[in-house]
mmCIF file of all heavy atoms in Angstrom:
data_model
loop_
_atom_site.group_PDB
_atom_site.id
_atom_site.type_symbol
_atom_site.label_atom_id
_atom_site.label_comp_id
_atom_site.label_asym_id
_atom_site.label_seq_id
_atom_site.Cartn_x
_atom_site.Cartn_y
_atom_site.Cartn_z
ATOM 1 N N HIS A 138 158.881 199.512 111.388
ATOM 2 C CA HIS A 138 158.343 200.763 112.077
ATOM 3 C C HIS A 138 156.875 200.910 111.646
ATOM 4 O O HIS A 138 156.532 200.773 110.541
ATOM 5 C CB HIS A 138 159.161 201.919 111.802
ATOM 6 C CG HIS A 138 158.652 203.175 112.607
ATOM 7 N ND1 HIS A 138 158.926 203.200 113.947
ATOM 8 C CD2 HIS A 138 158.109 204.261 112.196
ATOM 9 C CE1 HIS A 138 158.463 204.434 114.364
ATOM 10 N NE2 HIS A 138 157.988 205.021 113.367
ATOM 11 N N VAL A 139 156.000 201.171 112.579
ATOM 12 C CA VAL A 139 154.530 201.475 112.287
ATOM 13 C C VAL A 139 154.494 203.038 112.374
ATOM 14 O O VAL A 139 154.385 203.562 113.487
ATOM 15 C CB VAL A 139 153.672 200.861 113.282
ATOM 16 C CG1 VAL A 139 152.109 201.152 112.884
ATOM 17 C CG2 VAL A 139 153.832 199.258 113.377
ATOM 18 N N TYR A 140 154.335 203.591 111.142
ATOM 19 C CA TYR A 140 154.391 205.080 111.198
ATOM 20 C C TYR A 140 153.269 205.719 111.794
ATOM 21 O O TYR A 140 153.418 206.839 112.461
ATOM 22 C CB TYR A 140 154.620 205.602 109.759
ATOM 23 C CG TYR A 140 155.955 205.215 109.089
ATOM 24 C CD1 TYR A 140 156.002 204.023 108.314
ATOM 25 C CD2 TYR A 140 157.096 205.893 109.278
ATOM 26 C CE1 TYR A 140 157.166 203.596 107.803
ATOM 27 C CE2 TYR A 140 158.327 205.422 108.767
ATOM 28 C CZ TYR A 140 158.307 204.278 108.032
ATOM 29 O OH TYR A 140 159.506 203.831 107.502
ATOM 30 N N GLU A 141 152.053 205.136 111.768
ATOM 31 C CA GLU A 141 150.711 205.735 112.178
ATOM 32 C C GLU A 141 150.821 205.754 113.707
ATOM 33 O O GLU A 141 150.339 206.761 114.376
ATOM 34 C CB GLU A 141 149.639 204.931 111.774
ATOM 35 C CG GLU A 141 149.287 205.092 110.239
ATOM 36 C CD GLU A 141 150.201 204.320 109.328
ATOM 37 O OE1 GLU A 141 150.949 203.391 109.941
ATOM 38 O OE2 GLU A 141 150.038 204.257 108.139
ATOM 39 N N THR A 142 151.447 204.854 114.372
ATOM 40 C CA THR A 142 151.414 204.787 115.946
ATOM 41 C C THR A 142 152.846 205.146 116.447
ATOM 42 O O THR A 142 152.906 205.425 117.659
ATOM 43 C CB THR A 142 150.996 203.457 116.359
ATOM 44 O OG1 THR A 142 151.939 202.441 115.947
ATOM 45 C CG2 THR A 142 149.672 203.121 115.866
ATOM 46 N N GLY A 143 153.849 205.194 115.653
ATOM 47 C CA GLY A 143 155.227 205.516 116.201
ATOM 48 C C GLY A 143 155.893 204.276 116.808
ATOM 49 O O GLY A 143 156.955 204.533 117.343
ATOM 50 N N GLN A 144 155.267 203.201 116.822
ATOM 51 C CA GLN A 144 155.883 202.086 117.451
ATOM 52 C C GLN A 144 156.840 201.206 116.535
ATOM 53 O O GLN A 144 156.640 201.236 115.318
ATOM 54 C CB GLN A 144 154.828 201.123 118.092
ATOM 55 C CG GLN A 144 153.941 200.443 117.102
ATOM 56 C CD GLN A 144 152.818 199.600 117.741
ATOM 57 O OE1 GLN A 144 151.688 199.853 117.334
ATOM 58 N NE2 GLN A 144 153.049 198.870 118.646
ATOM 59 N N THR A 145 157.742 200.488 117.207
ATOM 60 C CA THR A 145 158.642 199.560 116.324
ATOM 61 C C THR A 145 158.343 198.182 116.709
ATOM 62 O O THR A 145 158.372 197.850 118.009
ATOM 63 C CB THR A 145 160.149 199.968 116.618
ATOM 64 O OG1 THR A 145 160.347 201.232 116.208
ATOM 65 C CG2 THR A 145 161.054 198.885 115.877
ATOM 66 N N ILE A 146 158.043 197.341 115.802
ATOM 67 C CA ILE A 146 157.692 195.906 116.154
ATOM 68 C C ILE A 146 159.017 195.107 115.857
ATOM 69 O O ILE A 146 159.512 195.113 114.722
ATOM 70 C CB ILE A 146 156.609 195.321 115.236
ATOM 71 C CG1 ILE A 146 155.357 196.345 115.319
ATOM 72 C CG2 ILE A 146 156.218 193.959 115.508
ATOM 73 C CD1 ILE A 146 154.718 196.343 116.659
ATOM 74 N N ARG A 147 159.498 194.513 116.888
ATOM 75 C CA ARG A 147 160.684 193.775 116.826
ATOM 76 C C ARG A 147 160.372 192.252 117.275
ATOM 77 O O ARG A 147 159.442 191.955 117.996
ATOM 78 C CB ARG A 147 161.724 194.154 117.837
ATOM 79 C CG ARG A 147 162.278 195.622 117.539
ATOM 80 C CD ARG A 147 163.404 195.876 118.546
ATOM 81 N NE ARG A 147 163.991 197.212 118.208
ATOM 82 C CZ ARG A 147 163.524 198.356 118.785
ATOM 83 N NH1 ARG A 147 162.468 198.387 119.603
ATOM 84 N NH2 ARG A 147 164.138 199.447 118.351
ATOM 85 N N ALA A 148 161.102 191.322 116.454
ATOM 86 C CA ALA A 148 160.813 189.961 116.664
ATOM 87 C C ALA A 148 161.300 189.513 118.104
ATOM 88 O O ALA A 148 162.405 189.770 118.406
ATOM 89 C CB ALA A 148 161.585 189.176 115.632
ATOM 90 N N ARG A 149 160.330 188.846 118.797
ATOM 91 C CA ARG A 149 160.788 188.380 120.035
ATOM 92 C C ARG A 149 161.697 187.210 119.966
ATOM 93 O O ARG A 149 162.613 187.072 120.712
ATOM 94 C CB ARG A 149 159.421 187.889 120.917
ATOM 95 C CG ARG A 149 158.561 189.088 121.238
ATOM 96 C CD ARG A 149 157.204 188.557 121.923
ATOM 97 N NE ARG A 149 156.281 189.705 122.140
ATOM 98 C CZ ARG A 149 155.124 189.528 122.667
ATOM 99 N NH1 ARG A 149 154.702 188.273 122.880
ATOM 100 N NH2 ARG A 149 154.281 190.575 122.763
ATOM 101 N N GLN A 150 161.420 186.351 119.014
ATOM 102 C CA GLN A 150 162.217 185.194 118.582
ATOM 103 C C GLN A 150 162.270 185.183 117.158
ATOM 104 O O GLN A 150 161.212 185.256 116.448
ATOM 105 C CB GLN A 150 161.749 183.883 119.227
ATOM 106 C CG GLN A 150 161.669 183.877 120.705
ATOM 107 C CD GLN A 150 161.382 182.534 121.248
ATOM 108 O OE1 GLN A 150 162.148 181.589 121.078
ATOM 109 N NE2 GLN A 150 160.248 182.377 121.840
ATOM 110 N N ARG A 151 163.348 184.975 116.483
ATOM 111 C CA ARG A 151 163.486 184.946 115.039
ATOM 112 C C ARG A 151 162.745 183.771 114.421
ATOM 113 O O ARG A 151 163.090 182.606 114.847
ATOM 114 C CB ARG A 151 164.986 184.910 114.551
ATOM 115 C CG ARG A 151 165.259 184.883 113.133
ATOM 116 C CD ARG A 151 166.624 184.804 112.768
ATOM 117 N NE ARG A 151 167.267 186.164 112.939
ATOM 118 C CZ ARG A 151 167.421 187.025 112.021
ATOM 119 N NH1 ARG A 151 166.916 186.874 110.800
ATOM 120 N NH2 ARG A 151 168.070 188.189 112.318
ATOM 121 N N PRO A 152 161.728 183.958 113.622
ATOM 122 C CA PRO A 152 160.978 182.831 113.018
ATOM 123 C C PRO A 152 161.816 182.210 112.050
ATOM 124 O O PRO A 152 162.846 182.694 111.354
ATOM 125 C CB PRO A 152 159.701 183.537 112.417
ATOM 126 C CG PRO A 152 160.283 184.865 112.100
ATOM 127 C CD PRO A 152 161.158 185.334 113.270
ATOM 128 N N ILE A 153 161.529 180.814 111.764
ATOM 129 C CA ILE A 153 162.043 180.169 110.730
ATOM 130 C C ILE A 153 161.284 180.427 109.451
ATOM 131 O O ILE A 153 160.074 180.129 109.416
ATOM 132 C CB ILE A 153 162.080 178.560 110.986
ATOM 133 C CG1 ILE A 153 162.779 178.211 112.279
ATOM 134 C CG2 ILE A 153 162.414 177.787 109.851
ATOM 135 C CD1 ILE A 153 162.611 176.821 112.707
ATOM 136 N N VAL A 154 161.887 181.117 108.483
ATOM 137 C CA VAL A 154 161.185 181.655 107.347
ATOM 138 C C VAL A 154 161.440 180.697 106.218
ATOM 139 O O VAL A 154 162.641 180.460 105.817
ATOM 140 C CB VAL A 154 161.646 183.033 107.052
ATOM 141 C CG1 VAL A 154 160.869 183.612 105.761
ATOM 142 C CG2 VAL A 154 161.485 184.019 108.164
ATOM 143 N N ILE A 155 160.423 180.217 105.584
ATOM 144 C CA ILE A 155 160.476 179.329 104.360
ATOM 145 C C ILE A 155 159.693 179.971 103.265
ATOM 146 O O ILE A 155 158.589 180.326 103.349
ATOM 147 C CB ILE A 155 159.966 177.900 104.672
ATOM 148 C CG1 ILE A 155 160.753 177.182 105.788
ATOM 149 C CG2 ILE A 155 159.955 177.066 103.430
ATOM 150 C CD1 ILE A 155 160.288 175.888 106.136
ATOM 151 N N ILE A 156 160.394 180.283 102.123
ATOM 152 C CA ILE A 156 159.866 180.993 101.022
ATOM 153 C C ILE A 156 159.885 180.029 99.855
ATOM 154 O O ILE A 156 160.857 179.388 99.539
ATOM 155 C CB ILE A 156 160.735 182.181 100.708
ATOM 156 C CG1 ILE A 156 160.813 183.100 101.900
ATOM 157 C CG2 ILE A 156 160.126 183.021 99.509
ATOM 158 C CD1 ILE A 156 161.789 184.248 101.765
ATOM 159 N N THR A 157 158.709 179.918 99.166
ATOM 160 C CA THR A 157 158.679 178.986 97.995
ATOM 161 C C THR A 157 158.470 179.740 96.710
ATOM 162 O O THR A 157 157.890 180.891 96.718
ATOM 163 C CB THR A 157 157.403 177.989 98.116
ATOM 164 O OG1 THR A 157 156.188 178.740 97.917
ATOM 165 C CG2 THR A 157 157.477 177.387 99.487
ATOM 166 N N SER A 158 158.880 179.333 95.654
ATOM 167 C CA SER A 158 158.901 179.899 94.385
ATOM 168 C C SER A 158 158.722 178.753 93.240
ATOM 169 O O SER A 158 159.360 177.730 93.329
ATOM 170 C CB SER A 158 160.100 180.699 94.067
ATOM 171 O OG SER A 158 160.103 181.140 92.729
ATOM 172 N N ASN A 159 157.858 179.050 92.327
ATOM 173 C CA ASN A 159 157.724 178.067 91.209
ATOM 174 C C ASN A 159 158.534 178.406 89.997
ATOM 175 O O ASN A 159 158.350 177.952 88.951
ATOM 176 C CB ASN A 159 156.204 177.999 90.681
ATOM 177 C CG ASN A 159 155.378 177.255 91.804
ATOM 178 O OD1 ASN A 159 155.835 176.342 92.402
ATOM 179 N ND2 ASN A 159 154.168 177.719 91.850
ATOM 180 N N ASN A 160 159.465 179.511 90.236
ATOM 181 C CA ASN A 160 160.382 179.841 89.188
ATOM 182 C C ASN A 160 159.747 180.561 87.981
ATOM 183 O O ASN A 160 160.297 180.536 86.911
ATOM 184 C CB ASN A 160 161.208 178.706 88.714
ATOM 185 C CG ASN A 160 162.733 179.040 88.694
ATOM 186 O OD1 ASN A 160 163.206 180.090 89.124
ATOM 187 N ND2 ASN A 160 163.500 178.219 88.081
ATOM 188 N N GLU A 161 158.503 181.154 88.262
ATOM 189 C CA GLU A 161 157.846 181.868 87.128
ATOM 190 C C GLU A 161 158.491 183.169 86.835
ATOM 191 O O GLU A 161 158.182 183.788 85.777
ATOM 192 C CB GLU A 161 156.340 181.947 87.526
ATOM 193 C CG GLU A 161 155.621 180.743 87.572
ATOM 194 C CD GLU A 161 154.207 180.936 88.009
ATOM 195 O OE1 GLU A 161 153.754 182.143 88.181
ATOM 196 O OE2 GLU A 161 153.419 179.960 88.222
ATOM 197 N N LYS A 162 159.170 183.755 87.848
ATOM 198 C CA LYS A 162 159.885 185.073 87.625
ATOM 199 C C LYS A 162 161.181 185.042 88.484
ATOM 200 O O LYS A 162 161.352 184.471 89.431
ATOM 201 C CB LYS A 162 158.810 186.017 88.299
ATOM 202 C CG LYS A 162 159.160 187.539 87.987
ATOM 203 C CD LYS A 162 158.094 188.437 88.813
ATOM 204 C CE LYS A 162 156.694 188.048 88.302
ATOM 205 N NZ LYS A 162 155.644 188.902 89.006
ATOM 206 N N GLU A 163 162.189 185.741 87.874
ATOM 207 C CA GLU A 163 163.492 185.882 88.438
ATOM 208 C C GLU A 163 163.274 186.805 89.698
ATOM 209 O O GLU A 163 162.624 187.850 89.622
ATOM 210 C CB GLU A 163 164.423 186.402 87.447
ATOM 211 C CG GLU A 163 164.898 185.588 86.309
ATOM 212 C CD GLU A 163 165.623 184.326 86.859
ATOM 213 O OE1 GLU A 163 166.513 184.464 87.777
ATOM 214 O OE2 GLU A 163 165.402 183.248 86.296
ATOM 215 N N LEU A 164 164.080 186.369 90.832
ATOM 216 C CA LEU A 164 164.081 187.131 91.923
ATOM 217 C C LEU A 164 165.369 187.923 91.996
ATOM 218 O O LEU A 164 166.357 187.589 91.462
ATOM 219 C CB LEU A 164 163.938 186.148 93.185
ATOM 220 C CG LEU A 164 162.798 185.287 93.228
ATOM 221 C CD1 LEU A 164 162.887 184.278 94.422
ATOM 222 C CD2 LEU A 164 161.484 186.219 93.445
ATOM 223 N N PRO A 165 165.331 189.176 92.594
ATOM 224 C CA PRO A 165 166.419 190.080 92.575
ATOM 225 C C PRO A 165 167.621 189.468 93.267
ATOM 226 O O PRO A 165 167.501 188.695 94.251
ATOM 227 C CB PRO A 165 165.831 191.293 93.453
ATOM 228 C CG PRO A 165 164.364 191.190 93.424
ATOM 229 C CD PRO A 165 164.078 189.690 93.339
#
Side-chain angles (χ1 to χ4, degrees):
H138 188 69
V139 183
Y140 295 98
E141 289 79 5
T142 62
Q144 65 187 131
T145 298
I146 305 299
R147 294 186 178 89
R149 296 175 183 173
Q150 300 187 64
R151 181 179 285 266
I153 298 171
V154 182
I155 297 179
I156 303 170
T157 72
S158 168
N159 287 327
N160 228 9
E161 294 179 4
K162 193 181 297 178
E163 288 295 324
L164 299 174

